[in-house]
Amino acid sequence: MLPIQFLQLVVPSFVMRYFIRSVANDIVRDDDLLISEGNDVNSLTESEVLAACELRGLPTLSGMSATAMKQCLLNHLLMVHEFQESSDGVSNEIVVLYLPSLRKALKKS
């Protein structure tokens, strides 16, 4: 993976912002679809669950079972759904970008 300093020299910041925003939008749309389907993560294949967890910054340890990853994804969807119900106009894209760091902070406390 390239260091961020190199990317800042080569890629203009507006391009990086656009890329990050588009990834966040993709995650939000994917989460919305999964939530609208009733949080049915059991219908996903193992590779789909792995990709979804990696994209969201959820644990994907090599020895981790598909069931454990599905549970992590389900917990993520429940947290997103809770936020959507209680948010006062806060953009879901912003929250999606901060969820991995919020999870890490909550684990420490």
Side-chain angles (χ1 to χ4, degrees), residues 20-33:
I20 291 169
R21 190 171 289 126
S22 70
V23 169
N25 285 332
D26 290 345
I27 293 171
V28 168
R29 275 192 298 265
D30 195 33
D31 286 350
D32 287 343
L33 285 172

Side-chain angles (χ1 to χ4, degrees), residues 32-80:
D32 287 343
L33 285 172
L34 287 168
I35 289 169
S36 70
E37 292 175 357
N39 296 332
D40 186 21
V41 295
N42 291 324
S43 64
L44 300 175
T45 65
E46 190 171 334
S47 62
E48 289 173 332
V49 171
L50 178 63
C53 288
E54 286 176 344
L55 187 62
R56 289 161 179 80
L58 300 173
T60 57
L61 304 173
S62 61
M64 195 171 197
S65 70
T67 307
M69 285 190 284
K70 285 180 182 182
Q71 187 60 48
C72 287
L73 183 58
L74 181 61
N75 290 341
H76 167 82
L77 293 172
L78 292 173
M79 186 171 23
V80 167

Side-chain angles (χ1 to χ4, degrees), residues 17 20-29 31 56 76 80 83-84 87-103:
R17 280 193 305 270
I20 291 169
R21 190 171 289 126
S22 70
V23 169
N25 285 332
D26 290 345
I27 293 171
V28 168
R29 275 192 298 265
D31 286 350
R56 289 161 179 80
H76 167 82
V80 167
F83 173 78
Q84 287 174 342
S87 68
D88 296 334
V90 177
S91 171
N92 289 346
E93 291 85 8
I94 293 171
V95 174
V96 164
L97 294 174
Y98 285 103
L99 279 176
S101 56
L102 289 173
R103 275 190 217 96

